Amino acid sequence: LLASEKASLGEQLVSVSGEKQQLSEDKAALAETSAEQQQQLLALARLREALATDLTRVQGALLALQAQQADLTTAYQTQAQEKGSLSQARDALALQVTSLEVTRGSLRTEISALREEMGGLLRVAVSTERALEESKLVGEDLSTRLAATALDYKLTKEELAYLRAEYAEEAAEFEKQRGLLVTAHKKELDILRERHSTLETQYNRLVRPARSTVGRHVVEVRFWKEGSARRYSLRQPGEAAARPVSELELHQQLGVLKAQYTDKLYTKTIPDDHSLTHGEAWSFTSHIHNRYDYYYQN
């Protein structure tokens, strides 16, 4: 009986040992599985942190895109407003161009009419000069006839003196009327020249850029009179004072400067207002500009 119990206990011991071994193996497997699960949990935690970081980055990028979209919308609206403003400015400029074209046409017509008027006045002046010459010839003829009459009829000194006095009064009146007529024509010519100069300046401002000293060789030309003597001076850039020159030297030196600087020569004319008439000042300035100044060569 003891032997059988011992054998049974031996079998149970073997069975328990096997179960223990199996439990140890199961425990080791569970421990290994638990370690793997821990690693997986750590990996999942890292992945969650990475995903959270990515989510934050994506949310930031989304906010940036939304802000950029808002900026683009604002820029588009601003561009639309600017486009409208530019369209209005373009329309206004078109109206200004049309107005300038009309003004330029009017100025051209007025300048043409003024030139015709000046030409007519010049023709009248020439006719007047001819009439004055003819009157002078008539006066000389009267003098000759008076002398012949004095010889033919042997007038007394008193009669001859009377006739001479009477003729002298007529001659004085004639010279007075002649002077008044010449003065009136000169004034009219000065007025026409001034109007022509003003209109020409306005016309040039419309169709040409303004006359400028920028990038030019500026030469100062002065003109004045001392009694009946005409005086000139010239001053170039870098010269402290103007140099007196004769009229011949003035044109010679300006001719050399024109050949040297061509379209860069700017003539700054300064006629003296006190010793010159308006017509003399205008004629001198116009002559120098038209002959040498860059702006008036085309």
Side-chain angles (χ1 to χ4, degrees), residues 35-262:
E36 291 178 355
Q37 289 178 348
Q38 289 292 333
Q39 291 178 355
Q40 289 177 356
L41 287 174
L42 290 174
L44 288 173
R46 294 192 191 96
L47 180 60
R48 184 176 62 183
E49 291 176 357
L51 289 174
T53 303
D54 291 341
L55 179 61
T56 302
R57 188 181 300 111
V58 168
Q59 289 176 344
L62 180 61
L63 291 175
L65 287 174
Q66 290 175 346
Q68 186 177 4
Q69 183 180 8
D71 292 340
L72 289 174
T73 302
T74 303
Y76 176 76
Q77 293 174 350
T78 303
Q79 287 181 353
Q81 293 175 355
E82 291 178 351
K83 183 178 179 181
S85 300
L86 289 175
S87 297
Q88 294 177 357
R90 182 185 61 189
D91 295 339
L93 285 175
L95 291 176
Q96 290 180 3
V97 169
T98 303
S99 177
L100 287 175
E101 288 293 335
V102 173
T103 304
R104 183 172 64 178
S106 300
L107 284 174
R108 283 177 174 172
T109 303
E110 191 170 353
I111 287 174
S112 299
L114 186 59
R115 285 174 176 170
E116 292 178 359
E117 185 178 354
M118 183 179 291
L121 189 58
L122 289 174
R123 288 192 293 272
V124 170
V126 171
S127 300
T128 303
E129 290 293 333
R130 289 178 179 174
L132 291 174
E133 290 295 331
E134 292 176 358
S135 299
K136 186 177 180 181
L137 293 175
V138 171
E140 293 175 353
D141 182 61
L142 286 174
S143 297
T144 303
R145 290 169 59 187
L146 180 61
T149 302
L151 291 174
D152 290 341
Y153 295 98
K154 298 180 181 180
L155 297 174
T156 62
K157 291 182 179 180
E158 291 79 6
E159 292 173 336
L160 184 59
Y162 171 77
L163 290 174
R164 284 178 176 172
E166 185 177 3
Y167 173 72
E169 291 178 359
E170 293 179 357
E173 181 64 23
F174 171 77
E175 288 296 330
K176 180 181 178 181
Q177 294 298 327
R178 178 178 180 272
L180 292 175
L181 185 60
V182 170
T183 301
H185 280 307
K186 285 184 177 180
K187 288 182 179 179
E188 291 177 358
L189 281 173
D190 288 342
I191 292 172
L192 285 175
R193 284 170 177 166
E194 185 174 359
R195 287 177 57 193
H196 179 269
S197 178
T198 301
L199 288 173
E200 188 173 18
T201 300
Q202 293 176 353
Y203 176 76
N204 286 333
R205 286 177 180 174
L206 287 174
V207 300
R208 299 178 61 187
R211 183 167 173 257
S212 173
T213 59
V214 178
R216 312 292 177 186
H217 185 80
V218 181
V219 180
E220 182 181 291
V221 183
R222 291 183 179 271
F223 170 45
W224 70 98
K225 290 176 71 175
E226 295 177 358
S228 60
R230 301 163 70 91
R231 305 297 185 190
Y232 305 92
S233 70
L234 196 67
R235 185 167 73 91
Q236 295 195 57
E239 294 181 343
R243 295 177 286 105
V245 293
S246 66
E247 186 172 4
L248 178 61
E249 291 172 338
L250 174 69
H251 288 289
Q252 286 177 342
Q253 295 185 31
L254 287 176
V256 171
L257 291 173
K258 180 181 178 182
Q260 181 178 358
Y261 293 100
T262 59

Side-chain angles (χ1 to χ4, degrees), residues 1-17:
L1 179 62
L2 290 172
S4 62
E5 289 179 357
K6 183 178 180 181
S8 176
L9 289 172
E11 291 176 357
Q12 290 178 0
L13 180 61
V14 171
S15 176
V16 169
S17 297

